[in-house]
């Protein structure tokens, strides 16, 4: 087996090609909500609101899974992500007519325009420290009219309790036909952030792709990336949302009507831009 370790400022550069399969695994094995269920929740939240929703911006849009779901439901969508590799996959999925923007939050380019609603699905906001969440909320508020909404999800208290142990690292692995993953979860001493070291083993192009079980002549490539997450306490989000003019701030348990609690794996936040 040959190995190659690569460092990327884009933590999704090595994962973009297999991200969609990982997303399916997260739904079936890690209790993440499917994109169709997320879209149902969004529509139910938007429809009774004072502001009709047609134009939607997704920040941290990834490979465009959520954008594709909303497009099928008749919304006009724009996507923003910091990863060129993820946006390349989104372009393949959505075609040339969808606007996709390369930018790292809290920067949202002026050419993004104005929107009826902004969303962020599948935990992208967990990469933002409190300072960057503060600035991102300010940027989103500037895009929205009175009554416009911002819905985003982040990892909840149950997620961090499940995967991160302050006393020692935790390790989880996943094997697919042509790709395997090893995740190592570590916690900063002061719990200011949580690191997920991501090792990916991908079968190299040696003319024997798809051969079950591997063999002595088989070659694999290893890539490694670091993903740093920040916990977003409820009181922090509520305070920052109020400072930037959002009202009706609520946090739900994983795209349901149930309130988030201490065992919630995924917090879903719903915010409305104030009308005053």
């Amino acid at each position: 087996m040959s190995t190659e370790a690569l460092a990327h400022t884009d933590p999704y550069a090595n994962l973009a090609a297999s991200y969609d399969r990982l997303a399916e695994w997260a739904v079936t094995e890690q209790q993440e909500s499917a994109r169709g269920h997320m879209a149902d929740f969004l529509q139910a939240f938007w429809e009774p609101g004072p502001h009709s929703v047609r134009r939607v911006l997704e920040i941290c849009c990834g490979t465009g899974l959520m954008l594709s779901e909303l497009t099928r439901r008749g919304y006009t969508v724009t996507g923003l992500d910091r990863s060129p590799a993820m946006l390349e996959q989104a372009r393949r999925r959505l075609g040339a007519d969808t606007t996709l923007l390369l930018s790292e939050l809290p920067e949202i380019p002026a050419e993004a325009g104005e929107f009826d609603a902004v969303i962020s699905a599948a935990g992208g906001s967990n990469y933002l420290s409190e300072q960057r969440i503060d600035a991102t909320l300010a940027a989103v508020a500037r895009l929205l009219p009175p009554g416009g909404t911002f819905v985003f999800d982040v990892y909840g208290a149950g997620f961090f309790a499940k995967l991160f142990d302050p006393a020692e690292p935790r390790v989880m692995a996943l094997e697919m036909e042509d790709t395997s993953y090893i995740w190592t979860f570590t916690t900063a001493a002061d719990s200011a952030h949580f690191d997920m070291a991501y090792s990916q083993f991908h079968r190299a192009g040696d003319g024997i792709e798809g051969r079950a079980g591997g063999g002595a002549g088989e070659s694999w490539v290893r890539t490694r990336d670091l993903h740093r997450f920040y916990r977003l306490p409820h009181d922090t989000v509520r305070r920052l949302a109020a400072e930037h003019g959002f009202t009706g701030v609520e946090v739900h348990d994983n795209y349901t009507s149930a309130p988030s609690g201490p065992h919630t794996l995924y917090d879903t936040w719903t915010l409305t831009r104030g009308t005053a």
Side-chain angles (χ1 to χ4, degrees):
M1 176 184 294
S2 65
T3 63
E4 180 183 0
L6 301 176
H8 286 274
T9 56
D10 173 4
Y12 281 95
N14 297 312
L15 298 173
S18 59
Y19 178 83
D20 291 357
R21 287 187 295 165
L22 283 175
E24 292 180 7
W25 172 80
V27 170
T28 58
E29 301 296 333
Q30 297 298 314
Q31 298 176 257
E32 186 174 289
S33 285
R35 266 51 175 197
H37 177 75
M38 294 179 182
D40 289 341
F41 177 92
L42 291 170
Q43 285 190 289
F45 176 62
W46 288 337
E47 285 174 358
H51 189 80
S52 176
V53 174
R54 299 312 316 158
R55 300 188 66 230
V56 180
L57 169 68
E58 181 178 15
I59 56 178
C60 308
C61 70
T63 64
L65 290 169
M66 195 70 228
L67 294 174
S68 179
E69 182 67 35
L70 293 176
T71 297
R72 284 196 294 270
R73 297 175 185 231
Y75 296 96
T76 299
V77 300
T78 295
L80 179 147
D81 203 279
R82 69 166 172 165
S83 168
M86 296 288 270
L87 288 177
E88 180 180 351
Q89 297 296 323
R91 178 61 68 202
R92 292 175 181 174
R93 166 173 280 113
L94 298 164
D97 293 336
T98 300
T99 300
L100 297 175
L101 303 172
L102 177 64
S103 186
E104 183 169 2
L105 296 174
E107 297 299 323
I108 301 177
E111 60 265 31
E114 296 182 353
F115 298 90
D116 307 310
V118 178
I119 65 169
S120 180
S125 297
N126 275 107
Y127 288 94
L128 304 177
S129 63
E130 179 177 335
Q131 182 179 11
R132 291 177 66 199
I133 280 286
D134 185 12
T136 296
L137 286 170
V140 169
R142 289 193 292 268
L143 295 174
L144 293 172
T149 58
F150 182 29
V151 178
F152 66 97
D153 64 63
V154 293
Y155 302 137
F159 180 94
F160 289 104
K162 175 183 178 181
L163 294 177
F164 293 90
D165 185 347
E168 59 183 0
R170 290 183 177 175
V171 178
M172 183 169 64
L174 170 66
E175 183 177 2
M176 296 182 178
E177 288 185 3
D178 59 352
T179 309
S180 297
Y181 309 89
I182 299 175
W183 296 276
T184 303
F185 304 88
T186 58
T187 307
D190 60 358
S191 296
H193 61 261
F194 303 82
D195 286 343
M196 180 178 70
Y198 212 136
S199 296
Q200 176 179 263
F201 299 84
H202 184 78
R203 183 178 289 129
D206 55 7
I208 53 176
E209 292 90 337
R211 185 175 66 187
E218 202 159 51
S219 178
W220 294 75
V221 174
R222 183 186 69 183
T223 57
R224 302 181 69 184
D225 296 288
L226 179 68
H227 296 246
R228 176 158 290 177
F229 303 132
Y230 296 87
R231 193 196 301 272
L232 294 176
H234 292 182
D235 57 350
T236 297
V237 176
R238 292 184 188 280
R239 173 176 55 81
L240 295 176
E243 289 176 1
H244 294 293
F246 289 100
T247 61
V249 178
E250 296 184 7
V251 58
H252 311 262
D253 188 328
N254 200 14
Y255 291 92
T256 69
S257 59
S260 172
H263 303 294
T264 294
L265 294 175
Y266 307 96
D267 287 343
T268 306
W269 286 92
T270 56
L271 289 64
T272 302
R273 188 78 172 99
T275 58

